[in-house]
Amino acid sequence: MCIAGGHFVRLLHFLEEKMNLLASFINIFNPAAFVASLPGAVAQGIIWGIMAVGVYITYRILDIADLTVDGSLGTGGAVLVLCVTSGMNIYLALLLAFIAGCLAGLATGIFHTCFGIPPILAGILTQLSLYSINLRILGGKANVALSVDRYDLLVTLRYIPKTILICSIFAVVIIAVLYWFFGTEVGHSLRATGSNRNMARANGINTNVNSIIALVLSNGLVALAGGLLSQYQGFADVNMGRGAIVIGLAAVIIGEVIFGKIFRNFALKLLAAVLGGVIYYIAITFVLRLGLNSNDLKLFTAIVVALFLGVPFWKSMAASRKIRKPDEKTTGGAENA
Amino acid sequence: MLEIKGVYKTFNRGTINEKRALSDLNLHLNEGDFVTVIGGNGAGKSTMLNVIAGVFPVDCGQIIIDGQDLTKLSEHKRAKHLGRVFQDPMTGTAADMQIVENLALASRRGKHRTLMPGVRSKEKNIYREMLQSLDLGLETRLTSKVGLLSGGQRQAITLLMATLKKPKLLLLDEHTAALDPKTAHKVLELTEEIVAKDKLTTIMITHNMKDAISIGNRLIMMNDGHIIYDVSGEEKKKLTTADLLEKFKTTSGGELDNDRMLLSND
C-alpha cells in the first residue's frame, strides 16, 4: 500500500511537470501569429515546390541525386536580378534564368557522360563552379537587392495573395507541359533511361543524350524557381541555393509519403511534389513559431529528410524479416483425421 | 548476313585478372540461320553476343551485318539491327513503365524519337492482340507496371519487344536459364514460333544440350574464345548429347566444365 502511494505521488509530480511544460509551450506558441504567417509559408512553399518538380525529374525519373541544384537555384536568382535591374521585361528575365539553369545542367551532363564522372560528383563540381559564376553575375557582390518599389515584379512578399496565384499558375503550367513531354516518344525514352539503362540501349536509346536532357530540364526549372524566389524575397544572394537539394528532396518525399497512395497519375505525382513543398514550409513555420532557432533550421531539415528516407527502408527490412505464420486451414490435420 | 572476322577481346589487360574472352573468333551466318551455341564456363559465348551488340568494343577484328561494318558503332546505334533477350529477366524491360509503354518503346527501335505521343491509341489494339497470343493473361493488364510481373512473363514480353520490329539478327543469351522448367519450356516454344513465323536469323546460347540439338538448323560449340565445332543440317539432327560430350573432349582435350549443362538432363 505504502509503495503504491509512493507511485501515486510520483505520478502527480510527473503530471504537474508536464502541465507546466504545456503552459510554457502555449505561452511561446501563438496560434494567431502562426495562422497569420501561413500565407507566406504557402507562397514560399509553392516556389520551392516548383524547384522540387525539377528535383523530381533527376531524383525520381533519371534516378540520380543531382547536387547541381544548390548552384543553379542561385544562378536563376542572380540572372533574374541582373536582367531586371538592367531594365529587362520580367518574363524575358525569367526565361533567361531558366536558360542559365539549363546551361548549368548541361555542364553537369557533360561532366557525367563525356568525362565519365559519377553523377553526384559531377553535380558537386558544377555546383562549386557556379559559386564563382553566380558571384560574377552579381557583379562580385554576395547580395544584390531587387526592390519591388523600383521594378515591376511578378511575385513579392509584399503582395502574398497575388504571389500565391501567380506561382500556382506557374506550377500548373509546368506540370501540364511536363505531363505532355513525358508522354512523348522522347519522354518515354528518358523514363526508360532512368528505369533500366541496359534495356534502353538495347532498344536503340542513347542513354547519354537522355541523361543530359533530364539534367538540363531539371536545372532549368530549378533556376526558374530561383528567379521567382529572388523576386519574392527582394534580393539575390550567392548563398540562396545552399542546401536546396535537401529542401527539394524533402518536398518530393513528403509529397510521396502523404499523397503516394492516392496520386497515381504522373501529373498528380508532380503536383504532390509541389504540395510537399507547401507542407514543408508550413511545418518549418510551425517549428520556428515553437521557438526553434532559425540557425538550426538546416540541421532540422536534414534530420527530417533522413528520417523520411529511412522509413521506407526500415519498412522493407521489417517486412522481409517478418515470418508468415502457416495458414490455419493447412494445419488442421487433427480434425481431418 | 552476319560476319565475324578475327575478333579478339581481352578483359582487364595487364592485370592479374587478365582474361582472354575471345580469341580469333570467326563466324559466318546465312540469312535465316537459327544457331544454338553451347560451351563450357568462360568459353566466350556471352562475350560473343555482347561484342555483336556493341556492349563493349573489340580489341581487333570486324563485325559485319548485311555488308555494313558495325565494329565501331555504339550499342544504341547497332540496336537498329538487333533484337536481344538476356539471361536475367530484369534486364530486358523497364520495371517502372507500363507493359504497353515498354512495347511501344521497342517498336520504335532504330527510329528517330520525336515529340509525338509515346503510345498511340492504334498501337494499343495491336499490342493487346500480341499479348493475347502469349496466353499469359497479360492482354487485360496493358497499363500494369512491368515490375509487377513474374520473371517468365517479363521474359515473354522481352521476347515480344525484341521481335516487334523485325530485327536482322536475334540474340538470345540463355534467356530461359533463370526460369522454372515449365515457364522455360513455354518461353522456348514461343521463341521457336516467333523465329519460324518471321524467319529470323537467330543466335541462341543454351546450357541444355537436348535443346541445342533439337532447336535450330545449326549448332556451334565454343571453347577458349573461339568456335571448336560447327555442325548443321542432317548431321546436326542425328547428334546425341553423348556425341557432343565426346566431341568436346576430342577437340578441346578436356572435360566439358559447364556444371549447369551437365546437370540439366531434362
Side-chain angles (χ1 to χ4, degrees):
Chain A
M1 187 64 208
C2 188
I3 296 165
H7 273 295
F8 186 65
V9 171
R10 241 180 286 163
L11 181 70
L12 276 182
H13 274 293
F14 176 76
L15 283 178
E16 195 185 340
E17 235 171 73
K18 290 289 155 195
M19 292 299 279
N20 285 340
L21 203 70
L22 189 67
S24 61
F25 165 77
I26 289 170
N27 281 340
I28 296 169
F29 183 69
N30 181 344
F34 172 63
V35 171
S37 56
L38 273 183
V42 171
Q44 277 199 74
I46 299 173
I47 294 174
W48 282 94
I50 292 172
M51 186 263 173
V53 169
V55 170
Y56 189 96
I57 293 174
T58 46
Y59 183 65
R60 277 291 174 234
I61 298 177
L62 195 60
D63 202 16
I64 281 178
D66 173 33
L67 302 187
T68 316
V69 296
D70 277 27
S72 53
L73 188 92
T75 306
V79 167
L80 183 113
V81 169
L82 176 75
C83 292
V84 172
T85 51
S86 59
M88 192 184 280
N89 171 285
I90 188 76
Y91 289 101
L92 197 57
L94 272 172
L95 180 67
L96 284 182
F98 174 81
I99 292 171
C102 289
L103 291 175
L106 180 66
T108 303
I110 289 172
F111 281 147
H112 175 41
T113 57
C114 301
F115 288 54
I117 300 172
I120 290 197
L121 190 53
I124 290 175
L125 288 175
T126 312
Q127 183 202 113
L128 183 70
S129 58
L130 283 178
Y131 186 85
S132 303
I133 292 170
N134 292 352
L135 264 177
R136 278 195 178 268
I137 297 173
L138 291 173
K141 284 176 278 186
N143 189 305
V144 176
L146 182 70
S147 167
V148 67
D149 298 321
R150 294 181 49 198
Y151 304 102
D152 199 12
L153 301 184
L154 274 180
V155 298
T156 162
L157 48 76
R158 188 116 22 111
Y159 311 112
I160 286 180
K162 184 190 166 205
T163 298
I164 293 178
L165 178 71
I166 288 181
C167 290
S168 303
I169 293 172
F170 265 94
V172 168
V173 170
I174 288 167
I175 290 174
V177 171
L178 289 179
Y179 181 73
W180 162 78
F181 175 72
F182 281 102
T184 65
E185 291 174 352
V186 176
H188 274 196
S189 60
L190 215 154
R191 287 169 57 204
T193 301
S195 177
N196 184 344
R197 279 174 168 67
N198 286 324
M199 171 271 189
R201 279 193 290 265
N203 284 290
I205 291 167
N206 187 337
T207 49
N208 283 346
V209 165
N210 278 287
S211 297
I212 292 176
I213 293 176
L215 287 164
V216 164
L217 194 57
S218 164
N219 282 290
L221 288 175
V222 170
L224 182 73
L228 290 171
L229 188 64
S230 62
Q231 291 179 62
Y232 178 80
Q233 60 192 16
F235 62 88
D237 188 291
V238 73
N239 282 320
M240 67 191 272
R242 179 163 288 175
I245 179 69
V246 182
I247 298 176
L249 286 179
V252 168
I253 295 161
I254 291 171
E256 279 175 356
V257 168
I258 294 178
F259 303 105
K261 287 253 157 63
I262 42 174
F263 284 7
R264 297 249 177 234
N265 180 287
F266 180 67
L268 292 177
K269 284 181 178 175
L270 294 180
L271 181 64
V274 177
L275 296 178
V278 173
I279 292 166
Y280 170 78
Y281 262 89
I282 291 175
I284 289 296
T285 311
F286 184 70
V287 293
L288 286 178
R289 287 279 164 208
L290 281 185
L292 181 83
N293 186 331
S294 61
N295 288 339
D296 296 334
L297 206 51
K298 292 216 191 303
L299 174 67
F300 173 80
T301 308
I303 292 172
V304 167
V305 170
L307 287 176
F308 270 102
L309 285 174
V311 166
F313 175 70
W314 296 325
K315 263 191 188 164
S316 70
M317 292 284 279
S320 64
R321 225 180 274 142
K322 199 193 276 174
I323 298 163
R324 278 172 191 271
K325 285 182 183 162
D327 195 352
E328 297 208 343
K329 279 173 198 163
T330 60
T331 55
E335 278 171 38
N336 295 341
Chain B
M1 72 107 13
L2 170 75
E3 193 88 49
I4 300 178
K5 285 186 195 163
V7 165
Y8 285 79
K9 176 72 196 176
T10 304
F11 292 110
N12 306 314
R13 186 185 293 280
T15 72
I16 195 158
N17 293 321
E18 181 168 305
K19 162 84 187 146
R20 180 179 273 198
L22 294 178
S23 154
D24 195 23
L25 176 72
N26 291 285
L27 179 66
H28 174 87
L29 250 58
N30 294 314
E31 193 80 46
D33 265 355
F34 188 162
V35 186
T36 55
V37 185
I38 57 170
N41 300 331
K45 308 183 295 295
S46 288
T47 310
M48 175 173 74
L49 293 202
N50 284 334
V51 297
I52 295 172
V55 176
F56 31 70
V58 298
D59 298 339
C60 62
Q62 270 186 314
I63 290 149
I64 299 161
I65 289 184
D66 276 351
Q68 190 190 350
D69 188 348
L70 303 182
T71 318
K72 293 215 158 53
L73 278 189
S74 60
E75 188 182 356
H76 70 270
K77 284 196 180 129
R78 295 188 203 190
K80 186 177 177 183
H81 310 292
L82 305 171
R84 289 160 70 195
V85 186
F86 311 88
Q87 184 173 343
D88 181 355
M90 304 299 141
T91 313
T93 44
D96 301 328
M97 297 177 75
Q98 300 169 359
I99 295 177
V100 60
E101 290 171 339
N102 270 279
L103 292 169
L105 265 177
S107 74
R108 287 160 176 75
R109 179 162 42 78
K111 276 193 212 154
H112 180 68
R113 287 167 210 261
T114 66
L115 291 177
M116 295 300 283
V119 186
R120 287 170 219 209
S121 42
K122 262 190 230 161
E123 288 175 68
K124 283 186 189 167
N125 294 326
I126 302 171
Y127 299 149
R128 191 174 289 122
E129 277 168 30
M130 284 179 159
L131 290 169
Q132 203 142 27
S133 72
L134 291 184
D135 198 21
L136 291 168
L138 293 174
E139 60 277 8
T140 56
R141 301 177 64 187
L142 241 54
T143 55
S144 292
K145 293 265 153 72
V146 170
L148 300 171
L149 306 182
S150 71
Q153 287 172 325
R154 284 181 77 159
Q155 212 60 331
I157 288 176
T158 311
L159 193 60
L160 263 194
M161 288 167 61
T163 54
L164 198 56
K165 184 170 172 298
K166 192 180 165 188
K168 284 183 178 164
L169 179 63
L170 178 62
L171 304 174
L172 308 170
D173 187 356
E174 292 206 49
H175 67 307
T176 60
L179 307 177
D180 65 86
K182 200 173 149 222
T183 319
H185 183 69
K186 176 141 195 176
V187 170
L188 208 54
E189 267 185 357
L190 187 66
T191 308
E192 290 190 85
E193 203 177 291
I194 291 174
V195 169
K197 189 184 76 192
D198 292 340
K199 299 184 183 65
L200 297 173
T201 312
T202 304
I203 304 179
M204 178 174 95
I205 299 176
T206 176
H207 63 267
N208 186 318
M209 282 186 276
K210 286 203 175 107
D211 287 345
I213 294 166
S214 66
I215 296 173
N217 66 330
R218 187 170 164 192
L219 181 150
I220 60 178
M221 187 186 281
M222 287 183 75
N223 188 50
D224 228 6
H226 56 264
I227 293 162
I228 54 171
Y229 182 49
D230 186 342
V231 58
S232 53
E234 285 303 310
E235 196 187 339
K236 173 186 179 266
K237 279 182 201 154
K238 286 189 206 127
L239 282 173
T240 63
T241 52
D243 291 341
L244 283 180
L245 287 173
E246 184 57 36
K247 195 81 206 165
F248 189 88
K249 228 187 238 177
T250 52
T251 47
S252 74
E255 293 287 337
L256 193 59
D257 64 347
N258 189 328
D259 36 8
R260 256 186 313 168
M261 187 179 279
L262 295 172
L263 286 170
S264 65
N265 283 318
D266 47 356

